[in-house]
Amino acid sequence: MEAMTVLLTLWAVLTIALAILLIYRSALSMHEDNQIFLDSAESHLEEEQQQLMAKMNRVRPLVNILGTCSGLLILVMAGLWLWHGWSRM
C-alpha cells in the first residue's frame, strides 16, 4: 500500500474521532451552567454539574491530542506530496 494512502486513511480516522469528540463535548457544554444558586434541597444539581465538569475535563486532553495529531498528519501529507512532486521534476 502506498504511504500516502496509509497516511490519508489514518488522518481520516483521527479526524472522524476528533469530530465525534467535539460533538460530544458540545452536547456536554449545553448542559453546563456558569453560575448556580442552590439551597440545600437542590444539592443534587451541584453534584450533576461537578460530574459534568469531570466528563469535560476527561475529554479535553483527548481533543487536544487528536487535534494535534490530525494537524501534524496534514503537514506530513503535504510535505510528502511536495517531495514527490519535486522528485519527479
Side-chain angles (χ1 to χ4, degrees):
M1 203 184 243
E2 189 178 320
M4 190 64 116
T5 306
V6 172
L7 288 175
L8 185 61
T9 304
L10 181 60
W11 174 79
V13 168
L14 286 176
T15 304
I16 289 170
L18 176 62
I20 290 169
L21 279 177
L22 288 173
I23 291 168
Y24 176 68
R25 187 177 72 173
S26 175
L28 286 177
S29 68
M30 286 190 314
H31 301 290
E32 179 184 17
D33 293 328
N34 292 333
Q35 191 172 20
I36 300 176
F37 299 101
L38 300 173
D39 59 4
S40 60
E42 297 172 329
S43 63
H44 68 281
L45 293 176
E46 180 182 6
E47 185 178 315
E48 287 177 11
Q49 286 297 311
Q50 289 174 351
Q51 290 173 354
L52 182 64
M53 288 304 297
K55 287 179 184 178
M56 289 182 70
N57 288 337
R58 279 194 306 257
V59 170
R60 182 179 298 124
L62 294 173
V63 169
N64 291 341
I65 290 168
L66 288 176
T68 301
C69 289
S70 179
L72 288 175
L73 274 174
I74 283 286
L75 292 176
V76 167
M77 287 188 303
L80 187 61
W81 179 73
L82 288 173
W83 180 70
H84 278 291
W86 282 335
S87 67
R88 292 183 185 183
M89 290 176 115

